[in-house]
Amino acid sequence: MTEPAANDQPAATEPRARPAQPRQPGPAQRRPEATRTAAPRPPRSHPVLEQLAALYPHLFGEVFLPLKRGIFQDLLAAHPEAFEREDLKAALALHTRSTRYLTAVASGQQRHDLQGQAVEPMAPEHVHHALLEVFRRRQGRANENLRPKLIERIVQAFEASGLSRAAYAELVHSRDEAANTVLDEALAEAAARAARDEALLRAFEASGQAIEAFADMYGMDPRAAALTLERGRRRRS
């Protein structure tokens, strides 16, 4: 029997060889590419904010400063041809809702005009609500409980306001019961500190001693004792 030549067709019992076809990616292979295509891009900075940063780097640059009320009208008046009203309004809304800006407000800094001059104090309620929002955002990313730090910051903001506890509570009270609970804790801590400061001030006044000797008697650092006594005097006045 004659053997088939090399170019003869293979026997019927052997599978017919198919021409190599380009391999098509399966669904699992296509999914990452589809996901990359469908994933939203990170939001870009508003072009008007870039303009503002170039014009006023002391307000909109690396460091944010709280803006005076009416800054929108001031910008339109200063640059009547540079900004569309709605674009400027949208850009300022993004800016003032950013965590960096709210952090500046929460610090209690004064509001600033276009020249970077401090022109008006920040209202206590604005400081308080900025504190709540900043800590809410940070707590969502933190691995620790930030509540004690928030309470400490509220105590500081309350003491800086110069208001009574009742007046401050009425001013910043909101419909958020969780926020009101934190407020109550902070004001209770402030009251306890005030009582301790007043007791220490009375003890110092009764001792007739110099601050260094008095601090040594109570095991306190003289500078810390002096600050505590001064805080007690301010509250008393």
Side-chain angles (χ1 to χ4, degrees):
M1 182 176 179
T2 309
E3 293 188 10
N7 58 357
D8 285 350
Q9 294 293 327
T13 56
E14 294 181 6
R16 180 185 295 271
R18 296 183 178 179
Q21 298 291 332
R23 187 176 179 182
Q24 298 295 325
Q29 293 172 297
R30 290 194 298 267
R31 189 174 298 118
E33 183 179 353
T35 303
R36 286 195 300 270
T37 303
R41 294 180 178 180
R44 295 179 178 178
S45 175
H46 197 289
V48 172
L49 288 179
E50 296 176 0
Q51 286 180 268
L52 291 172
L55 289 168
Y56 303 100
H58 51 282
L59 296 178
F60 300 91
E62 291 299 319
V63 177
F64 289 175
L65 289 176
L67 304 172
K68 70 179 285 286
R69 287 174 288 191
I71 203 78
F72 173 74
Q73 289 80 5
D74 292 350
L75 285 166
L76 286 179
H79 306 280
E81 305 299 327
F83 303 117
E84 296 290 338
R85 289 182 63 89
E86 294 306 313
D87 289 343
L88 180 60
K89 186 181 297 184
L92 287 176
L94 286 174
H95 180 76
T96 55
R97 291 171 188 163
S98 69
T99 301
R100 286 175 61 195
Y101 182 82
L102 290 173
T103 300
V105 173
S107 71
Q109 297 181 70
Q110 294 193 61
R111 294 182 179 274
H112 294 71
D113 62 14
L114 291 180
Q115 288 68 47
Q117 300 297 316
V119 293
E120 57 181 320
M122 184 64 66
E125 63 270 29
H126 296 166
V127 175
H128 181 79
H129 294 307
L131 274 172
L132 292 176
E133 180 59 21
V134 168
F135 272 84
R136 183 190 68 80
R137 296 180 187 184
R138 289 178 177 172
Q139 186 62 77
R141 305 189 301 268
N143 295 322
E144 62 173 315
N145 180 17
L146 299 180
R147 187 186 186 94
K149 294 181 180 179
L150 174 58
I151 290 174
E152 175 63 28
R153 291 293 304 277
I154 293 175
V155 170
Q156 294 173 5
F158 157 64
E159 291 178 342
S161 73
L163 297 171
S164 68
R165 288 192 294 276
Y168 187 85
E170 182 178 1
L171 188 64
V172 305
H173 196 272
S174 69
R175 297 179 181 179
D176 186 338
E177 289 306 315
N180 293 335
T181 299
V182 174
L183 171 64
D184 291 342
E185 291 182 31
L187 293 180
E189 174 61 23
R193 291 185 189 184
R196 292 195 296 267
D197 291 353
E198 176 63 22
L200 191 70
L201 179 58
R202 289 180 180 177
F204 172 70
E205 292 172 340
S207 71
Q209 295 180 329
I211 185 65
E212 291 79 8
F214 179 79
D216 182 66
M217 183 172 63
Y218 278 83
M220 299 177 66
D221 177 79
R223 295 178 63 183
L227 290 173
T228 302
L229 294 172
E230 180 58 30
R231 190 168 59 232
R233 293 188 187 99
R234 287 200 304 270
R235 288 199 183 97
R236 181 183 288 178
S237 63

